[in-house]
Amino acid sequence: MIEAPAGTARMTGRSVVFLHAHPDDESIFTAAAIRRLADRGARVVLVTATRGEEGTPLTPLRPGETLVSRRVRELESACALLGVARLVILGHRDSGMAGAPTNGHPRAFARQVLSSARALVDLVDEERAEALVHYDGRGIYGHPDHIAVARLGRWVVHRMQVTGYEATVNPEHLLAGPRHLVEGSRPRSATRHLGSRPAEITTTLRASTAELLTKRRAMAAHDSQVPREAVTATEFGRVYEHEWFVGSGQHGILDEVADDPTGRNSGASLSA
Ligand SMILES: [Zn+2]
């Protein structure tokens, strides 16, 4: 158990569920949020919809390893780094990128998204979670499984009357800095269609030095998916130190640990 940083409110007894699409999304989009909540004593439950079957391995698989076994192991390593108290894998199949033939697989998450609604409602209930973190309506960047996370997340937030936080990116921030993984292979001019408009973003975290190091390690744990250059880059902080959310419902736990978007009000933040 890691001690809460001095001067921070204890959040022991409070819990939050993070819903993500694939192993690695938790680290890329919400590592600092998870680590900060865990450091404050909150219980963080991570739900991952798929095992990322459609990912392309960037590094050779080891003998006896499958892409799925590798990605689950990477996810478990990231969870340990981030302080996740419980990992739940829903076990849907990765739908693949928009337009791929795998979108039509009968077990594809995007095709059977609401079949997990009951399981997620029961989990939020069992964990007495006060907030559910999922994705903005665009699925941050349009992957069918990410849009499915947004649909499922919004449904559960409405049904359970918990605070919703839709993880997103700020396209203006991305355009101003070095390339973020979410920009993928699309032309830079298309970046402005990613994430949410800055005016929609309610809650911003800026990783502290320690949180940023943990985020870098958690992303590096997914080495079959996250290019080594991304996590070793000197500009890593400029690209990944911010995490953005669109809140819905009551002011909630993530707002309590948020930073001013400029980072000016966070004693823990570092300058870029
Ligand atoms: Zn994903």
Side-chain angles (χ1 to χ4, degrees), residues 173-174 177-181 183 215 233 235-242 244:
H173 184 94
L174 297 195
R179 214 170 170 81
H180 186 290
L181 276 176
E183 293 174 77
K215 180 167 188 164
E235 63 267 30
F236 180 85
R238 275 180 67 204
V239 189
Y240 296 103
E241 67 181 346
H242 288 93
W244 299 276

Side-chain angles (χ1 to χ4, degrees), residues 21-22 24-25 141 146:
H22 312 107
D24 72 13
D25 292 317
Y141 70 102
H146 285 239

